[in-house]
Amino acid sequence: MNKFLSLTKILVLDFFSKYTQQLNVKNKYLTILVMFLPALLIFPAAQMVLELYNTFLTLGFPELTITYMYIANTILMIFASIPFIISVFFYSKDLQLIATLPVKEATIVFSKLASVYIYLLIISCFFFGTSVVLYSTVGGLKLSSLNVGIIALIISPLLPMIISAIIILPFMSVIGSGKRRNLMVVVGNMLLLVAIIVMQMLSSRIQLRPEELNTILLQEDGLLMMVGRRFPPSIWLTKMIQGSIFHGFLFIGLNVVLVLILKACAKILYSKALMKFNQEGAPVQGGKIYYKSRNKGLQMIKRHIKIIVSNPIFLINTVLTIFLPILMFIIILFTGEFQAELFKSTALEPYHVYIFSAIITTPAIIGSLSSTAITREGKTFWETKVLPVSDRDNIKYRIYTTLIIQLVASLILGIMTLLTIPVNVQTVLIAAVFCITSTLFFSNIDIVINIEKPLLNWSTPTAAVKNNLNILLALLLRLIVGVFGYGLYKLIDHWEANIVILIFSGLFIMLYFISIWIVYGIYKDKFIDIVP
Amino acid sequence: MLTLKNASKTYGNNKKAVDQLNLEIEKGEIIGFIGPNGAGKTTTIRMITGIIAPTEGTIEINGKDIAKQPVEAKKNFTFVPDHPTIFDAIKGIDYLNFIADMHEVTIQQRKERIEKYTKAFQIYDALPQTINSYSHGMKQKLLISGALLPNPNLFILDEPMVGLDPHSAKILKDVMREHCEKGGTVFFSSHVLEVVENLCDRVAIIHRGKLIACDTAENIKKNSSATLEEIFLEMTKDE
Ligand SMILES: Nc1ncnc2c1ncn2[C@@H]1O[C@H](COP(=O)(O)OP(=O)(O)O)[C@@H](O)[C@H]1O
Ligand SMILES: [Mg+2]
């Protein structure tokens, strides 16, 4: 086999084996079912695209669905690929081996990007893919559009991926040199993400006066030009799918040029960024030799927190999953798309407790830290097993670590929200009860997922905390709880909001006690059986 | 000090890695556990230390069953694995304090012992640095120092000589001897026969998961004029 293909095959297999690795092969149907779990997301995605399609259809420009979804998709892919590229290039353990192989730099760079590409293509299928299929099937099959659309879909991850790679690789070598490297990497990347969001927010604000809109609607491509003016490839793509060979040439040409640029830069990226970063090693920190005794539990919790903090990918991932929704909220607030005044209106007041509860509970809902608490330790998991700490405590301190991080995050969010939405003390207290009870439940029950699927042999940190089945199962659990919760809410939605929230908190307390029984009663034995 | 009764381990792939192992180790002994690659040494040691649970059989350390009273049993031993994979984003001294806290070593004792062992192994000056800057051998010496810190009743090591320079290997052998003279017990696996022969009170030989001999080196050699190496090769020969 060609060197590039066999290297790519190994890297991709290694990456995606994390999904299937720990599945019980005997349960063939279950395996298949779980594999396709994420595919369920296609339903909400298709629903969203369909609504967009209908909106544009009434305006008479159904093809704008594609333009919009392509732009949204590209932005999403840039987001998704940044932490991913960093993990695959800078924090993966296989570079030492790969660097010794007799292959060209470009081969290494491209084969490393292959798993990023596949990951992005999957994302692209959900959003851009559904829009292509809907556009070319709803209201009569347009076969040529479908074919061209599928080609476009396959090409679509290239642009965001290569742009991210070309930004990220030199960026990392700059911020990654010198002292406190890991900290710099985390801070640097957070800033980069914020910068991208802000740029996006600023550039997508379209302020129109009604009379302008009319003139635009009168022109044949007026709306398309306006939507796509900040990002011409989206216009080319739309026209290509509509059948324009010239625009198809432009769109495909652009992607080919990007690949060629990356190829030309590969050698420099490899030697100046990749090897430099990986050779510098961690800075040696000086300090004193001390002798100090601490409580066992504190030591264990400290260890688990340090495992997150010391790994930039774990840290970025933790911070992002916990704060990103809020970050976007703040940015929207500051870019003026959204008025804080709205919250101060009296009409919304009865819903304050819902809004406030939802915001401060996001860390527990989005950051399923417990579901990777064991996985994060990887091959060092054996360490605590040989120490005189009971298995119950060993599990407990992992859960406490999750609790501490998530409650601190909730506290920060709570304070930030209070600064924008003034609510009364009673609301704060009730929301806090809800937040604490639900956090207790989720942090406990998530560890079951991790005990069931410990995944200790990961090669890149993203595989440990992001792209694995555990995260999906944790999300599924939240989905199930959410569906039941919504059903219950529908039954009692005429009750006062505070009472509703308190009822839900009560249910979470009950679930929490059940989860304690499940974790320490049933899953302790499975924890003992984990083979490191 | 250490008793294995019919200890067996079958991994997920239905492979019997350790098969009905019986072993009794007395207080104050140094036992060498030898066998070819894949014989089941690491598996046995992981069962003893509670890293994995045996499929069958019981293991007692100082009269405490590792499955029934794990914490009490684990207070009696410390362990150095065959590969120094530990959480390495902390400093060497952080690691040692962590281990000392877990085993409840007093401040006075930890100061004394950390200085003694890390100076002997020449890693004392590296203690304020993060472990990921250590070499393989340094990490291993840190692990050994950490394991000696609680002055355990039973000191368990898996292939401890691999990766150590001759100087450090000599120190380790001295430390193991000294530990026994103070009344401690040492159980270690190795495939370096010479070390085992010179150092150990008794030798246990494992082959394909089964214990095929457990006696003093002299007794194993008694009936023949062959060296231990020749006997070992003969015993573990593949038909
Ligand atoms: N985690 C595991 N899963 C399946 N088989 C294993 C595992 N660990 C070890 N084995 C198998 O058990 C046998 C004994 O291995 P091990 O105890 O590591 O041998 P030794 O340490 O004596 O070289 C080997 O055949 C090995 O393939
Ligand atoms: Mg071994």
Side-chain angles (χ1 to χ4, degrees):
Chain A
M1 211 192 282
N2 170 302
K3 275 183 189 175
F4 170 69
L5 285 182
S6 56
L7 187 59
T8 305
K9 197 177 130 196
I10 296 273
L11 291 174
V12 171
L13 274 182
D14 175 56
F15 192 82
F16 284 93
S17 67
K18 267 70 210 180
Y19 282 104
T20 50
Q21 205 176 42
Q22 301 280 322
L23 290 178
N24 193 347
V25 201
K26 283 170 219 149
N27 263 323
K28 216 173 185 175
Y29 296 104
L30 195 70
T31 311
I32 294 170
L33 196 75
V34 175
M35 285 282 293
F36 281 91
L37 209 65
L40 289 177
L41 285 173
I42 203 101
F43 293 112
Q47 179 64 30
M48 189 178 87
V49 175
L50 194 63
E51 257 163 46
L52 198 66
Y53 181 84
N54 286 331
T55 313
F56 283 124
L57 194 65
T58 50
L59 282 176
F61 303 101
E63 69 274 10
L64 281 182
T65 317
I66 290 182
T67 324
Y68 252 109
M69 288 317 288
Y70 177 70
I71 296 174
N73 205 30
T74 305
I75 293 161
L76 190 66
M77 286 194 279
I78 288 182
F79 267 118
S81 61
I82 287 177
F84 203 154
I85 290 175
I86 296 169
S87 168
V88 166
F89 278 89
F90 299 101
Y91 291 97
S92 97
K93 294 173 195 156
D94 54 18
L95 196 78
Q96 292 196 19
L97 170 71
I98 293 175
T100 63
L101 298 176
V103 288
K104 288 203 191 79
E105 292 87 351
T107 309
I108 294 177
V109 171
F110 278 100
S111 59
K112 285 225 155 234
L113 283 175
S115 51
V116 181
Y117 169 81
I118 291 177
Y119 179 69
L120 295 184
L121 184 62
I122 294 170
I123 296 182
S124 198
C125 283
F126 283 112
F127 299 103
F128 179 51
T130 44
S131 73
V132 165
V133 172
L134 279 177
Y135 172 74
S136 44
T137 53
V138 173
L141 184 69
K142 297 187 266 301
L143 201 60
S144 66
S145 292
L146 188 61
N147 288 338
V148 176
I150 288 172
I151 295 173
L153 176 68
I154 294 170
I155 299 175
S156 66
L158 291 178
L159 186 135
M161 180 178 84
I162 295 176
I163 289 178
S164 297
I166 290 175
I167 296 173
I168 272 297
L169 294 178
F171 181 70
M172 284 289 284
S173 76
V174 174
I175 59 172
S177 51
K179 275 199 161 188
R180 302 209 160 262
R181 179 168 86 157
N182 287 349
L183 188 72
M184 288 296 291
V185 169
V186 174
V187 173
N189 283 289
M190 297 298 291
L191 289 178
L192 190 66
L193 286 177
V194 171
I196 293 172
I197 301 179
V198 171
M199 262 165 52
Q200 176 48 33
M201 290 291 169
L202 292 177
S203 67
S204 66
R205 276 171 66 195
I206 309 164
Q207 271 153 356
L208 282 180
R209 272 165 286 143
E211 57 271 25
E212 271 179 44
L213 190 65
N214 274 335
T215 42
I216 285 173
L217 284 174
L218 285 177
Q219 292 167 307
E220 196 197 341
D221 282 334
L223 208 53
L224 176 62
M225 292 304 163
M226 190 197 77
V227 170
R229 78 202 140 140
R230 306 262 179 184
F231 188 47
S234 67
I235 298 173
W236 305 341
L237 170 94
T238 311
K239 301 213 133 211
M240 168 174 125
I241 290 176
Q242 284 180 304
S244 160
I245 295 178
F246 170 69
H247 288 98
F249 180 76
L250 279 181
F251 183 74
I252 295 175
L254 173 72
N255 281 286
V256 170
V257 168
L258 281 172
V259 171
L260 292 178
I261 291 175
L262 184 63
K263 195 163 180 205
C265 300
K267 195 166 180 171
I268 299 172
L269 288 178
Y270 180 82
S271 58
K272 288 270 155 33
L274 204 54
M275 290 314 273
K276 186 163 168 263
F277 187 91
N278 280 285
Q279 269 160 15
E280 254 158 30
V284 175
Q285 286 171 350
K288 270 211 250 89
I289 294 178
Y290 65 92
Y291 306 97
K292 191 173 173 213
S293 77
R294 282 194 186 88
N295 175 286
K296 277 191 194 185
L298 276 183
Q299 276 282 30
M300 293 284 274
I301 292 170
K302 204 175 119 199
R303 173 184 161 92
H304 293 306
I305 291 179
K306 276 214 160 175
I307 287 175
I308 296 179
V309 175
S310 65
N311 184 316
I313 300 298
F314 291 177
L315 188 57
I316 291 178
N317 197 64
T318 307
V319 175
L320 276 190
T321 46
I322 289 175
F323 289 114
L324 194 66
I326 286 332
L327 204 64
M328 303 202 69
F329 174 79
I330 295 169
I331 289 163
I332 295 171
L333 216 61
F334 282 109
T335 48
E337 299 254 313
F338 177 88
Q339 304 297 309
E341 303 303 315
L342 192 65
F343 274 124
K344 294 184 181 128
S345 77
T346 45
L348 218 60
E349 213 172 288
Y351 298 102
H352 274 174
V353 70
Y354 289 132
I355 297 167
F356 197 68
S357 301
I359 291 176
I360 63 174
T361 313
T362 39
I365 295 171
I366 299 176
S368 48
L369 288 178
S370 285
S371 70
T372 55
I374 295 168
T375 301
R376 284 193 301 262
E377 279 191 88
K379 288 184 179 139
T380 68
F381 171 67
W382 67 271
E383 274 189 86
T384 54
K385 267 197 140 182
V386 301
L387 294 171
V389 177
S390 69
D391 296 296
R392 190 192 166 93
D393 283 349
N394 209 342
I395 300 172
K396 193 177 76 184
Y397 294 132
R398 282 166 227 268
I399 295 174
Y400 283 4
T401 307
T402 305
L403 265 178
I404 290 172
I405 295 174
Q406 294 190 331
L407 289 179
V408 167
S410 293
L411 189 69
I412 297 172
L413 291 182
I415 293 170
M416 287 184 349
T417 317
L418 271 181
L419 295 178
T420 41
I421 316 174
V423 290
N424 59 33
V425 180
Q426 191 191 1
T427 304
V428 172
L429 289 179
I430 290 173
V433 169
F434 177 80
C435 171
I436 291 169
T437 52
S438 53
T439 309
L440 277 172
F441 168 65
F442 284 120
S443 60
N444 243 289
I445 200 73
D446 280 346
I447 202 109
V448 167
I449 296 171
N450 207 176
I451 294 175
E452 195 63 58
K453 307 196 178 307
L455 305 163
L456 296 172
N457 287 313
W458 39 269
S459 52
T460 61
T462 359
V465 292
K466 204 168 172 192
N467 305 296
N468 67 46
L469 213 60
N470 293 14
I471 301 292
L472 291 173
L473 289 173
L475 281 178
L476 182 73
L477 174 77
R478 284 150 176 75
L479 204 70
I480 293 170
V481 172
V483 167
F484 276 102
Y486 188 71
L488 182 65
Y489 171 74
K490 278 284 152 198
L491 291 177
I492 57 172
D493 64 351
H494 51 283
W495 294 9
E496 203 194 321
N498 287 348
I499 305 289
V500 173
I501 290 284
L502 284 177
I503 288 175
F504 276 107
S505 308
L507 288 177
F508 272 122
I509 280 283
M510 270 165 57
L511 285 173
Y512 170 60
F513 284 117
I514 295 172
S515 74
I516 286 186
W517 173 73
I518 295 175
V519 171
Y520 300 112
I522 303 172
Y523 274 86
K524 201 182 84 180
D525 290 343
K526 285 212 168 192
F527 177 79
I528 296 170
D529 282 339
I530 295 174
V531 177
Chain B
M1 177 53 60
L2 173 65
T3 314
L4 282 88
K5 285 200 191 106
N6 300 327
S8 306
K9 178 72 193 181
T10 311
Y11 282 111
N13 50 7
N14 287 328
K15 194 181 149 77
K16 248 193 165 154
V18 174
D19 193 0
Q20 301 284 328
L21 200 88
N22 287 291
L23 195 63
E24 175 82 50
I25 294 169
E26 301 299 329
K27 190 169 183 286
E29 275 190 306
I30 297 191
I31 302 282
F33 191 41
I34 60 175
N37 294 332
K41 302 182 294 291
T42 299
T43 305
T44 308
I45 289 180
R46 288 166 121 209
M47 287 195 286
I48 296 172
T49 51
I51 296 176
I52 56 176
T55 331
E56 212 187 304
T58 55
I59 294 165
E60 280 181 13
I61 297 140
N62 208 7
K64 306 284 193 293
D65 189 313
I66 184 84
K68 296 202 186 94
Q69 293 172 278
V71 179
E72 291 308 310
K74 285 171 186 174
K75 280 183 180 164
N76 282 291
F77 70 82
T78 56
F79 167 55
V80 180
D82 53 351
H83 206 276
T85 29
I86 52 170
F87 175 51
D88 63 4
I90 52 174
K91 297 169 188 167
I93 189 69
D94 294 333
Y95 173 77
L96 294 176
N97 273 300
F98 176 78
I99 296 291
D101 283 332
M102 292 298 151
H103 282 279
E104 293 162 19
V105 182
T106 64
I107 297 286
Q108 185 55 37
Q109 281 171 340
R110 67 177 90 175
K111 184 172 189 309
E112 240 165 58
R113 293 179 195 157
I114 287 174
E115 278 181 12
K116 174 178 167 192
Y117 296 120
T118 57
K119 278 181 179 161
F121 282 124
Q122 299 178 332
I123 51 166
Y124 182 79
D125 293 329
L127 289 184
Q129 295 164 13
T130 45
I131 302 172
N132 51 27
S133 68
Y134 288 20
S135 71
H136 182 99
M138 285 164 80
K139 280 187 195 175
Q140 197 161 347
K141 290 190 269 186
L142 180 73
L143 265 131
I144 295 171
S145 306
L148 288 165
L149 194 48
N151 191 25
N153 288 327
L154 175 62
F155 184 30
I156 303 170
L157 306 94
D158 193 2
E159 307 270 3
M161 303 301 167
V162 177
L164 289 186
D165 59 53
H167 179 72
S168 304
K170 167 83 171 65
I171 295 166
L172 178 60
K173 282 183 258 178
D174 291 345
V175 166
M176 282 156 77
R177 257 279 134 242
E178 185 196 303
H179 191 68
C180 285
E181 276 153 18
K182 287 192 300 188
T185 312
V186 179
F187 181 73
F188 74 100
S189 77
S190 182
H191 56 252
V192 187
L193 295 170
E194 189 198 301
V195 174
V196 176
E197 193 170 2
N198 295 335
L199 193 67
C200 296
D201 300 316
R202 284 199 296 155
V203 181
I205 303 177
I206 185 173
H207 182 46
R208 293 186 181 158
K210 288 197 161 76
L211 195 71
I212 54 172
C214 182
D215 214 330
T216 59
E218 282 71 42
N219 281 347
I220 291 176
K221 284 198 290 190
K222 198 170 240 165
N223 307 323
S224 74
S225 59
T227 62
L228 185 64
E229 184 184 13
E230 282 162 348
I231 292 170
F232 176 82
L233 290 174
E234 180 60 34
M235 280 175 145
T236 58
K237 198 165 72 183
D238 279 319
E239 292 82 29

